[in-house]
Amino acid sequence: MNDKRILYVSSEVVPYLAENEVSLMSYDVPKMINDQGGQIRIFMPRYGNINERRHQLHEVIRLSGMNLVVNDMDMPLIIKVASIPKERIQVYFIDNDEYFKRKATFSDEDGVLYPDNDERSIFFAKGVVETVKKLNWVPDIIHVHGWLAGMLPVYMKHYYKDEALFADTKIVTSVYAQSFDGTLDPEMMKKVAFDEIPDASITDLEIPNYENIMKASILHSDAVIIASEELSPSLTKFIETSGKPFLPFVPKDAFAEAYTNFYKNQVI
């Protein structure tokens, strides 16, 4: 993977958030490619429970200041950056006071999902792409982790389909076990359709539960990785019958070779 450019877009990454299946793989996979001589960038949201002082986040003024439209509302985009200690890996943080200032990730102290998680997902997707455009950094692969990042493939294939910068970029989505119950805002499909994304491409979002969000992400990806051993049978079957190249679940002690071969032989 020497000199290949891979953009990792994740809803959670260690050491900035607690360890779980998504956050750990969102660190381990980029580190593995970095060790192989690949060029990587990581993007994640700047949730309010990330300690900016401890992790030495700082705002990048030249990248901040843009307004992104979400459901006909202008939302300011703030970009912060930090480096993972000892790894020389740069992490970019998508921030906005309205969406990400609260001191938790996806739900309140009672475990109730935030009502604007759908808009946060749209803002995150747009924020990542607009920042990469400003950086003028052309990724060979965009690898998506976590449901909050799930709208990125949708927006890449429709909203940003004419961006010459990404003409040859391939999108890989890692699919993990279900991480929330219930649904996001029932108006989510309308909010995505506001960006002139065809209804026929996002019918899964009529009921925006975890599985349907991942289905929309899979349909707009070029390849898929089953990242959890406990993936639901229905989602597994959806991946297997999607016609997309996919990598079955690989245990952590064997993922490095499997992921590298998958990138080289099935994606690029």
Side-chain angles (χ1 to χ4, degrees), residues 77-97:
L77 173 64
I78 302 165
I79 302 297
K80 295 174 180 174
V81 70
S83 294
I84 296 178
K86 302 177 185 176
E87 297 299 339
R88 295 182 182 175
I89 294 176
Q90 252 190 339
V91 181
Y92 290 83
F93 295 83
I94 301 295
D95 198 3
N96 169 273
D97 283 348

Side-chain angles (χ1 to χ4, degrees), residues 125-231:
K126 286 185 169 183
V128 169
V129 180
E130 295 295 347
T131 304
V132 174
K133 283 166 57 181
K134 274 195 172 182
L135 290 169
N136 200 31
W137 190 78
V138 185
D140 297 295
I141 296 171
I142 298 175
H143 191 162
V144 177
H145 298 259
W147 66 266
L148 195 83
M151 287 301 98
L152 189 129
V154 176
Y155 274 78
M156 284 292 293
K157 296 298 186 182
H158 294 287
Y159 192 76
Y160 293 105
K161 68 180 187 297
D162 296 324
E163 287 287 348
L165 192 74
F166 305 111
D168 299 316
T169 299
K170 301 298 183 185
I171 303 173
V172 178
T173 292
S174 280
V175 184
Y176 295 86
Q178 183 165 324
S179 58
F180 73 84
D181 296 320
T183 68
L184 304 190
D185 188 335
E187 298 292 303
M188 182 175 185
M189 182 176 168
K190 289 182 182 177
K191 294 175 187 178
V192 176
F194 174 83
D195 288 317
E196 298 183 358
I197 293 173
D199 286 357
S201 300
I202 50 173
T203 53
D204 288 306
L205 299 181
E206 286 180 334
I207 302 175
N209 58 24
Y210 177 82
E211 193 152 310
N212 286 341
I213 289 168
M214 294 318 303
K215 284 180 178 178
S217 189
I218 291 161
L219 284 173
H220 291 88
S221 299
D222 298 296
V224 182
I225 293 174
I226 296 177
S228 291
E229 193 170 14
E230 302 299 321
L231 201 64

